Amino acid sequence: MDAVRADVELHGEPCGETRPAPCGLVIFGASGDLAHRKLLPSLFRLQRRGLMPESFFVLGAGRSGDTASFRAAVIRTLEGIGAGAAEAADFAGRCGFAAGAYEGDELYAALAREIEARSADHRTGGNCLFYLALPPDLHAPVAQRLGAAGLLRESGEEAAWRRLVVEKPFGRDLASARELDRRLKSVLGERQIYRIDHYLGKETVQNIMMFRFANRLFEPLWNREHIDHVQITVAEGVGVENRAGYYDRAGCLRDMFQNHMLQMLALVAMEPPARMEADLHRDEMVKLLRALRPLPREPAELDRSLVRGQYTPGAGMAGYREEAGVAADSVTETFAAARLMVDNWRWSGVPFYLRSGKRLARRVSEIAIAFKPVPHSIFAPLVPGSAAPNVLVLNVQPEEGIAVTVEAKRPGTKTCMGSLTLRFDYRSVFGVEPPEAYERLLLDCMLGDQTLFVRSDAMEAAWELVTGVLETWQAGSARGACTLHGYPAGSWGPPAAGALLAADGRRWRTP
Ligand code: NDP
Ligand code: BG6
């Protein structure tokens, strides 16, 4: 049956948003991709929406450069996203730059001087957010130098805050993640550390919480009695782009599963926190991650729970090994699909199928909750086949929204049934584009709300699962086990990913 656009009315007051107290922001790696594609545009949009502090400054930090060239670059970036000349210049006027080697003393001395002077000019009371938009091997050294320079100390009469934002990847495995954490915590308290997983800032990912816990309708059904299985898909159309240097050492499991995929799984499956407070929320997230059943350590058994793939040439596109910067014999996985089990009372026996990959058929991220079929179909003799089970789909991107399929009677004098899709589409209901995840996350950093940031115990729990797999892959590859399946660019991944579900009598949805 055709999909039908439901008529959705939105009631309720628009929410009040809070403006942070005055502060400074220091962006390390301010000439980089993340700074110019995400951070600076997000800060600018927050300012446009009246959500930046009444008074603030932005300091770029890097190996070379000065305030004039940084301001010019900021203006180019903002104009590139549609800012008018005057508003771009106004924003750039709050920006400054400090230069020096990341592992030398000069940069930190310059930063100390700049922060002190600008804090006085902008009356920020010394509040300062440091953002590490830098290659990962610089995260710990820079944090420790900031600490040594006294820049992370929260002191003074006004008890100014100092916070540090760390980008993923948080280490390469459990041991390196623990070591990074140890070094961060040698200069910072956990409440000063903001580990960003930008998926947690996506509007539709946050909506999982509201949808589950603000509606009576779903909670009674949200368990093993009614849910057959869950599918989480994050498919990317793009290949490795210009990030081969990083990606070829990381692979899909580290790049997407350890963080985005497992965080979404935790939101879908966690118990409700008593209140929406950062630590109560994060306690539930970590409990869920700790309930994930470790994947098999025996290579052949692991192959039956987790499929890895690498894209080959297809649809006029190069294969992964032909990409610039990728080794011709690279065995890095650009795709992974897994069956995960959550060993707790609510989810016993319910598989969670997760898949993510680059160069798939199209860009789409969704979470599909597949319900069990009705226990007995009274229409069976009249309608061929039994009623299709209901599916609830949370569309994370690019068509943000929610869709639910229900069985309904087709119009006519006969008893004909069909599946009907009721769809709520974010843009058509709210009339706006969902905000960029970094806007929300940067705002929360300034407000001191850690709810949407990964706590160290959750990070470790996710690494525990992933590190086991990485070790088995390494050992298995040496023995010629643990298959790396090829899949043509532009497809939905290797057939083995389909076989993973087929073995359970299920199949992947085509999003
Ligand atoms: P870039 O490769 O663009 O590097 C950022 C800046 O770091 C550069 O502009 C440069 O600044 C400095 N830098 C780069 N290489 C070196 C080096 N070898 N030695 C010293 N300094 C160097 O990184 P991104 O902006 O893409 O990413 C920054 C962080 O954010 C990383 O941890 C990444 O994993 C993470 N991330 C990025 C995402 C993205 O969309 N880009 C998404 C998710 C996470 P300068 O020359 O001015 O010193
Ligand atoms: C990043 C990964 O964390 O997320 C990238 O490093 C990936 O490889 C990106 O492309 C996907 O994010 P989004 O928001 O485009 O889905």
Side-chain angles (χ1 to χ4, degrees):
M1 193 177 274
D2 290 340
V4 171
R5 186 166 300 281
D7 189 7
V8 186
E9 281 180 36
L10 182 65
H11 301 276
E13 294 296 310
C15 51
E17 295 188 275
T18 313
R19 209 169 179 187
C23 66
L25 298 104
V26 179
I27 303 177
F28 285 89
S31 62
D33 178 72
L34 184 70
H36 284 271
R37 237 168 18 87
K38 301 287 185 187
L39 305 181
L40 292 161
S42 295
L43 292 172
F44 171 73
R45 290 195 191 102
L46 284 172
Q47 191 189 13
R48 252 192 183 170
R49 288 167 50 206
L51 288 173
M52 281 303 280
E54 202 180 322
S55 179
F56 70 94
F57 64 89
V58 177
L59 269 177
R63 288 171 294 182
S64 61
D66 54 34
T67 293
S69 59
F70 183 53
R71 284 183 176 170
V74 170
I75 290 175
R76 279 195 301 279
T77 292
L78 300 185
E79 289 185 346
I81 59 157
E87 51 182 357
D90 175 55
F91 185 92
R94 296 168 181 267
C95 297
F97 197 82
Y102 295 114
E103 299 194 65
D105 293 332
E106 214 178 287
L107 176 61
Y108 303 89
L111 279 175
R113 284 193 303 275
E114 288 286 345
I115 291 171
E116 194 178 337
R118 286 169 192 269
S119 297
D121 287 353
H122 292 268
R123 298 182 308 280
T124 61
N127 295 333
C128 201
L129 184 71
F130 297 93
Y131 201 118
L132 301 184
L134 285 171
D137 51 348
L138 286 172
H139 291 179
V142 169
Q144 287 186 307
R145 289 200 176 254
L146 280 171
L151 290 169
L152 299 175
R153 206 173 302 128
E154 296 185 321
S155 60
E157 282 169 28
E158 316 230 336
W161 54 255
R162 295 284 162 115
R163 298 175 189 143
L164 183 86
V165 187
V166 195
E167 270 288 349
K168 66 170 270 279
F170 315 120
R172 288 185 49 74
D173 51 22
L174 182 58
S176 56
R178 281 190 174 142
E179 174 58 13
L180 169 64
D181 222 42
R182 186 194 65 71
R183 292 179 69 181
L184 293 180
K185 285 182 179 156
S186 68
V187 287
L188 292 148
E190 175 68 28
R191 58 169 190 79
Q192 290 177 282
I193 306 173
Y194 288 68
R195 294 177 198 82
I196 278 210
D197 180 323
H198 77 279
Y199 265 64
L200 294 180
K202 287 185 191 275
E203 198 74 16
T204 36
V205 172
Q206 290 167 55
N207 203 23
I208 298 171
M209 293 290 288
M210 284 219 179
F211 196 68
R212 285 192 58 196
F213 301 133
N215 295 293
R216 182 87 188 223
L217 195 57
F218 302 107
E219 175 53 23
L221 305 179
W222 214 261
N223 54 51
R224 68 183 184 285
E225 300 298 338
H226 301 282
I227 292 179
D228 178 69
H229 71 280
V230 175
Q231 294 187 17
I232 303 182
T233 298
V234 176
E236 296 190 81
V238 294
V240 67
E241 297 182 289
N242 56 358
R243 296 174 67 217
Y246 151 74
Y247 193 87
D248 204 39
R249 291 188 66 235
C252 181
L253 207 64
R254 288 189 178 95
D255 188 48
M256 299 299 289
F257 271 65
Q258 189 277 337
N259 33 72
H260 311 322
M261 303 296 283
L262 291 181
Q263 293 293 322
M264 283 196 287
L265 188 159
L267 285 174
V268 170
M270 68 193 255
E271 296 301 316
R275 287 180 301 284
M276 198 56 190
E277 282 175 16
D279 272 326
L280 296 178
H281 175 86
R282 300 194 300 172
D283 288 345
E284 297 303 336
M285 295 279 278
V286 78
K287 257 161 60 186
L288 192 284
L289 291 170
R290 285 181 180 152
L292 289 173
R293 185 182 304 168
L295 284 157
R297 295 305 294 256
E298 201 284 310
E301 254 188 80
L302 177 61
D303 274 355
R304 288 193 286 276
S305 294
L306 197 157
V307 168
R308 61 174 171 163
Q310 188 187 73
Y311 61 87
T312 55
M317 293 178 279
Y320 179 67
R321 291 177 185 177
E322 283 82 53
E323 302 275 20
V326 173
D329 57 354
S330 168
V331 290
T332 300
E333 80 288 356
T334 59
F335 174 95
R339 178 201 305 106
L340 296 180
M341 303 301 291
V342 180
D343 285 331
N344 67 13
W345 198 295
R346 185 189 284 263
W347 295 113
S348 177
V350 180
F352 285 74
Y353 300 105
L354 274 56
R355 66 175 164 171
S356 177
K358 294 206 182 277
R359 279 278 187 257
L360 294 182
R362 70 185 184 94
R363 176 177 184 253
V364 60
S365 301
E366 64 161 45
I367 298 165
I369 317 291
F371 287 88
K372 290 188 171 171
V374 290
H376 165 72
S377 174
I378 62 166
F379 304 106
L382 302 171
V383 188
S386 52
N390 304 121
V391 182
L392 171 68
V393 181
L394 307 170
N395 295 301
V396 175
Q397 60 189 24
E399 281 146 21
E400 292 85 350
I402 293 168
V404 59
T405 60
V406 293
E407 293 300 284
K409 185 181 176 310
R410 284 176 184 268
T413 48
K414 291 194 172 169
T415 306
C416 285
M417 195 158 55
S419 297
L420 185 75
T421 302
L422 307 173
R423 205 184 296 281
F424 140 68
D425 171 68
Y426 189 102
R427 285 178 183 75
S428 56
V429 172
F430 294 107
V432 288
E433 289 285 311
E436 164 64 54
Y438 278 93
E439 289 177 41
R440 167 70 193 256
L441 295 173
L442 281 162
L443 186 60
D444 283 356
C445 291
M446 290 186 277
L447 288 168
D449 183 348
Q450 289 185 306
T451 309
L452 300 179
F453 296 83
V454 183
R455 206 169 58 190
S456 64
D457 47 4
M459 179 200 66
E460 285 199 11
W463 269 124
E464 259 168 52
L465 184 93
V466 166
T467 302
V469 175
L470 295 170
E471 286 170 359
T472 307
W473 277 353
Q474 203 176 6
S477 302
R479 286 191 270 135
C482 291
T483 322
L484 177 67
H485 301 269
Y487 63 96
S491 69
W492 280 109
L500 184 78
L501 269 70
D504 299 345
R506 302 185 176 97
R507 60 191 171 85
W508 290 107
R509 287 169 37 79
T510 304

